[in-house]
């Protein structure tokens, strides 16, 4: 595993919080697709221990190139900072596709909890971040999304700490609606694999229901799995009802990338 800084010294000098942004690289097989993993942590921390490194190692074992993004969190997580970090990570990966020996046209986002919101929200707004990087233009639309017990809405069913970190304390209805993914799903949204536990006391599973209703309404392919028990933040869900979700997600991606 190798770790890269994503911002230059000059960029960090302008905004010191960018110093915390890192990208962990787990190399895969030559020409293989890639996954950019966005761990959860309520936009307050990066849960690499259960939703970052373990996912990356599993994907790497399947031949994928896996990357774990340590995006801006805490007081530095105000919109649009974390989305800018995702954009930069994708630009960085694609600009080095030949060096990494990966297929730059096949990159999925994998997000858990607040990282699931970040992945899903970025897929809505990716065109806003398509800028030149090192003299070249890169499309930042993800090929697919894998979402684990994601925060989706910023409305009534949201995870309040995640909303506070991303939008601030004094958010109005317009800001909350603008950051509620289920309200902004286009017909060309990437295919989605999503799973959630019904007894999740941190992020209400109805977040996933809201997303899937919007996906179905707009004709976007998706695969949904709901499990009775397991709670929140369980990562690979070993020994839980959701054990095996990773294999299902891998099969889903295999079909997308075929």
């Amino acid at each position: 595993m190798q770790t890269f800084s994503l911002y230059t010294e000059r960029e960090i000098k302008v905004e010191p919080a960018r110093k915390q942004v890192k990208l962990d690289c787990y190399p895969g097989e030559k020409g293989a697709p890639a996954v950019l993993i966005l761990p959860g942590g309520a936009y307050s921390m990066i849960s690499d221990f259960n939703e970052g490194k373990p996912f990356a190692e599993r994907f790497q074992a399947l031949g994928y190139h896996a990357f774990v993004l340590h995006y801006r969190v805490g007081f530095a997580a105000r919109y649009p900072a974390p989305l800018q970090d995702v954009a930069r990570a994708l630009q960085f990966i694609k600009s080095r596709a030949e060096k990494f020996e990966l297929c730059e046209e096949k990159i999925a986002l994998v997000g858990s909890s607040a990282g699931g919101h970040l992945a899903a929200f970025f897929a809505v707004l990716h065109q806003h971040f398509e800028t030149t990087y090192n003299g070249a233009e890169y499309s930042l639309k993800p090929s697919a999304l894998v979402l684990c017990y994601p925060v989706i809405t910023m409305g009534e069913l949201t995870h309040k700490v995640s909303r506070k970190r991303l939008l601030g304390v004094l958010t109005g209805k317009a800001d909350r609606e603008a950051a509620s993914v289920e309200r902004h799903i286009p017909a060309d949204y990437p295919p989605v694999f999503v799973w959630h536990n019904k007894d999740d006391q941190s992020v209400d599973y109805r977040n996933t229901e809201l997303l899937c209703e919007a996906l179905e309404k707009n004709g976007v392919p998706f695969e949904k799995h709901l499990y009775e028990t397991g709670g929140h933040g369980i990562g690979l869900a070993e020994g839980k009802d959701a054990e095996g979700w990773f294999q299902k997600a891998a099969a889903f991606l295999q079909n997308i990338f075929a």
Side-chain angles (χ1 to χ4, degrees):
M1 190 268 286
Q2 187 175 3
T3 300
F4 299 91
S5 296
L6 293 183
Y7 291 102
T8 65
E9 290 184 5
R10 178 177 296 182
E11 288 172 323
I12 292 172
K13 187 175 182 180
V14 172
E15 192 171 335
R18 289 171 173 162
K19 187 175 183 179
Q20 69 181 256
V21 181
K22 307 287 184 182
L23 188 69
D24 295 337
C25 172
Y26 297 76
E29 297 175 1
K30 184 175 181 179
V35 291
L36 177 58
I37 300 167
L38 312 176
Y43 284 116
S44 300
M45 59 169 284
I46 299 294
S47 295
D48 182 50
F49 75 97
N50 66 328
E51 297 163 351
K53 181 180 179 181
F55 290 10
E57 291 176 340
R58 284 287 187 92
F59 276 112
Q60 185 183 42
L62 294 177
Y64 283 83
H65 298 267
F67 299 87
V68 178
L69 178 61
H70 297 251
Y71 52 90
R72 277 172 281 183
V73 292
F75 292 111
R78 289 292 293 274
Y79 172 86
L83 290 95
Q84 291 171 337
D85 298 339
V86 176
R88 174 55 60 90
L90 287 170
Q91 290 168 339
F92 181 88
I93 293 167
K94 291 193 172 196
S95 70
R96 290 161 175 77
E98 186 175 346
K99 181 178 179 180
F100 289 137
E101 298 185 318
L102 58 81
C103 180
E104 68 173 275
E105 301 303 320
K106 297 180 178 181
I107 303 178
L109 297 183
V110 179
S112 303
S113 193
H117 178 268
L118 180 55
F121 196 24
F122 183 84
V124 168
L125 296 179
H126 67 90
Q127 289 183 324
H128 294 265
F129 299 93
E130 291 189 6
T131 57
T132 300
Y133 177 70
N134 286 348
E137 290 284 341
Y138 299 98
S139 172
L140 302 182
K141 181 180 178 179
S143 301
L145 303 179
V146 174
L147 307 177
C148 311
Y149 37 86
V151 178
I152 294 298
T153 187
M154 288 287 136
E156 181 181 352
L157 295 175
T158 194
H159 182 252
K160 291 181 174 57
V161 176
S162 296
R163 182 174 68 191
K164 177 182 176 182
R165 287 299 190 199
L166 183 67
L167 300 180
V169 178
L170 302 176
T171 57
K173 182 179 180 181
D175 289 335
R176 295 181 181 188
E177 289 186 353
S180 292
V181 177
E182 78 279 6
R183 293 179 173 271
H184 307 286
I185 300 293
D188 63 347
Y189 197 72
V192 178
F193 178 97
V194 59
W195 68 276
H196 219 129
N197 294 315
K198 289 185 177 181
D199 68 343
D200 192 328
Q201 298 299 306
S202 295
V203 178
D204 194 305
Y205 82 94
R206 287 176 289 177
N207 277 257
T208 286
E209 297 280 40
L210 287 172
L211 173 64
C212 292
E213 288 171 6
L215 294 172
E216 185 171 20
K217 180 179 179 180
N218 289 280
V220 178
F222 70 93
E223 183 175 328
K224 176 182 72 172
H225 295 273
L226 294 179
Y227 302 95
E228 292 299 323
T229 65
H232 189 75
I234 60 174
L236 291 171
E238 294 173 340
K240 306 286 187 179
D241 287 356
E243 184 173 16
W245 75 261
F246 183 88
Q247 289 80 1
K248 293 183 177 70
F252 177 84
L253 290 180
Q254 185 176 8
N255 288 332
I256 297 297
F257 291 141

